[in-house]
Amino acid sequence: MTYRAPHEHEAGERAWEVVRDAYETREPLTWPRRHARPLVAGALIAAVIAAVLSPPGRSVVRSFRKAVGVERAEPALFSLPAPGQLLVTSPQGAWLVRADGSKRLLGRYRDATFSPHGLFIAATRENELVALDPKGEVRWTLARPGPRFPAWAGTRTDTRIAYLSAGHLHVVAGDGTGDRTFGPAAPVVPAWRPGSGHVLAYSDGERAMVLDADTRVVILRLRLHAGTWKLAWSSDGRLLLALAARGLRIFEPTGKLVLARNSESRPFVDAAFEPRTHRVVALREYGFQSEVVSALTGRVVFRGTGTFGQLSWAPRRHWLLVTWPTANQWVFLRTRPSRRIVGASRIASQFGGFARVSGWCCAR
């Protein structure tokens, strides 16, 4: 006869809820980021298994829940704390989130990006690049093998979309015409340089290539950390950020290195320029903790238990979105004039899986 402790079954059921929620809120990641965080993933699994199997499992579960997430977070995303709209993707597809909290599922797309001024959206599905309006109506499609990582830039009347297909960089006009193929490209979102016509940076796996998409002239080649997965320009186009798990670098358009931060013990997960400044915030992990820090000074802006996912600035600065898959929350941080924290919970249930932010655009 097997002996069961009092309330053992109920404790197991509650612990299983934690395991299931952690699984459902997982975020699909590219290879470099997925392999940059094995220790954190292992710590998460160990903590959950301990909650399920150990005799004091109920107290472990309660402690785990209290330690993760903003304590007084809203039970859902009722509104954005700043003007503009969010474009996000989840296992269910691409979503548009307006400032009042209303959400529209645009369709089953895997990547998405705003056009300049947020008038249209470029998205990808299995073998198509698609342009659509904010209501989800398709304007044009372009059949290409496995398109990924679109980036749209330009003026209201003259735009270009950069994207990757079959391991090469492509650039097409905003009306879907004139598609051109460039050199081999690594799976990194191309970055258009603001205010420079049609100049963009992309990765060939070892270097950042700065290219004039109209003349096809390579302006600059920059050596990168192995596994660099993000390129981003400051909003004035005067600095280029290159991010890998073990290092962050910032270059001038001449190629001069102006900032280098290496991080072996606390790998970088994300980084972003604050709009209209040269300040950079970075997201790092260590053990079972994550933190948002100033890349220049190392000052901690925000810290929490578990895994943070992304950083995204509001169009008018001052508000920074930190995604927190472990807590199933989005956390909005107001950095100035006074500090404030706003949390929104149950993100996965609102988007059919934990949502990845593609852009926060266009305060009118």
Side-chain angles (χ1 to χ4, degrees):
M1 177 175 176
T2 302
Y3 173 75
R4 292 183 178 274
H7 307 294
E8 179 180 342
H9 177 74
E10 291 82 354
E13 289 294 319
R14 285 191 291 270
W16 170 244
E17 290 179 9
V18 177
V19 178
R20 184 183 59 197
D21 290 346
Y23 178 80
E24 290 178 348
T25 59
R26 72 199 190 284
E27 178 186 8
L29 300 175
T30 58
W31 189 94
R33 291 183 63 200
R34 187 169 66 244
H35 287 71
R37 306 194 281 183
L39 294 179
V40 173
L44 262 174
I45 294 169
V48 172
I49 291 175
V52 175
L53 299 180
S54 64
R58 285 169 291 172
S59 61
V60 172
V61 171
R62 285 194 294 269
S63 298
F64 183 81
R65 285 174 171 168
K66 288 180 180 179
V68 179
V70 174
E71 188 173 352
R72 289 184 290 276
E74 298 288 349
L77 181 66
F78 295 133
S79 64
L80 302 180
Q85 51 191 352
L86 283 171
L87 182 62
V88 305
T89 57
S90 76
Q92 196 169 6
W95 295 77
L96 191 64
V97 183
R98 300 194 183 277
D100 63 2
S102 61
K103 308 170 187 68
R104 180 189 295 272
L105 179 60
L106 301 174
R108 294 198 58 91
Y109 302 106
R110 58 184 179 181
D111 299 315
T113 185
F114 281 117
S115 73
H117 313 290
L119 301 177
F120 298 98
I121 293 159
T124 64
R125 45 196 177 197
E126 185 175 4
N127 288 304
E128 276 190 321
L129 177 69
V130 182
L132 53 150
D133 64 24
K135 294 182 179 179
E137 297 294 328
V138 174
R139 296 305 183 95
W140 55 261
T141 67
L142 182 64
R144 290 293 182 269
R148 297 302 308 268
F149 309 125
W152 200 338
T155 66
R156 287 180 180 268
T157 58
D158 184 15
T159 66
R160 302 286 189 277
I161 302 170
Y163 68 99
L164 306 187
S165 174
H168 285 72
L169 173 72
H170 286 244
V171 176
V172 63
D175 61 0
T177 62
D179 183 66
R180 305 171 75 188
T181 305
F182 293 82
V188 178
V189 179
W192 292 100
R193 184 182 174 194
S196 64
H198 301 131
V199 173
L200 80 161
Y202 73 98
S203 171
D204 69 357
E206 297 181 353
R207 300 164 298 179
M209 313 290 285
V210 181
L211 169 78
D212 186 314
D214 290 340
T215 64
R216 306 179 75 98
V217 172
V218 175
I219 301 169
L220 195 63
R221 295 175 175 87
L222 300 170
R223 181 66 59 179
L224 299 177
H225 276 298
T228 293
W229 67 272
K230 182 173 184 176
L231 298 171
W233 294 93
S234 59
S235 54
D236 62 4
R238 294 174 60 186
L239 295 176
L240 175 65
L241 166 72
L243 183 70
R246 64 186 183 92
L248 177 154
R249 293 181 178 181
I250 297 177
F251 301 91
E252 292 181 348
T254 61
K256 179 182 177 181
L257 180 66
V258 296
L259 181 68
R261 292 286 184 266
N262 295 325
S263 186
E264 298 294 341
S265 60
R266 300 187 177 190
F268 289 108
V269 175
D270 199 5
F273 281 106
E274 181 178 348
R276 299 193 292 280
T277 77
H278 289 169
R279 291 188 290 267
V280 175
V281 291
L283 197 166
R284 302 186 305 192
E285 289 185 348
Y286 59 102
F288 192 43
Q289 299 286 321
S290 295
E291 61 186 12
V292 180
V293 301
S294 165
L296 181 62
T297 67
R299 180 179 63 87
V300 176
V301 178
F302 183 69
R303 179 182 286 129
T305 301
T307 301
F308 294 166
Q310 291 177 270
L311 302 172
S312 183
W313 283 98
R316 292 180 179 173
R317 303 162 55 190
H318 305 327
W319 283 96
L320 175 65
L321 168 57
V322 182
T323 68
W324 198 345
T326 304
N328 196 11
Q329 290 184 355
W330 284 352
V331 179
F332 298 90
L333 309 176
R334 188 169 70 180
T335 57
R336 53 180 70 82
S338 59
R339 291 181 59 82
R340 183 183 170 196
I341 298 177
V342 177
S345 301
R346 304 179 186 276
I347 296 301
S349 63
Q350 296 174 75
F351 294 101
F354 197 82
R356 179 170 180 78
V357 179
S358 299
W360 192 348
C361 177
C362 315
R364 303 298 183 188

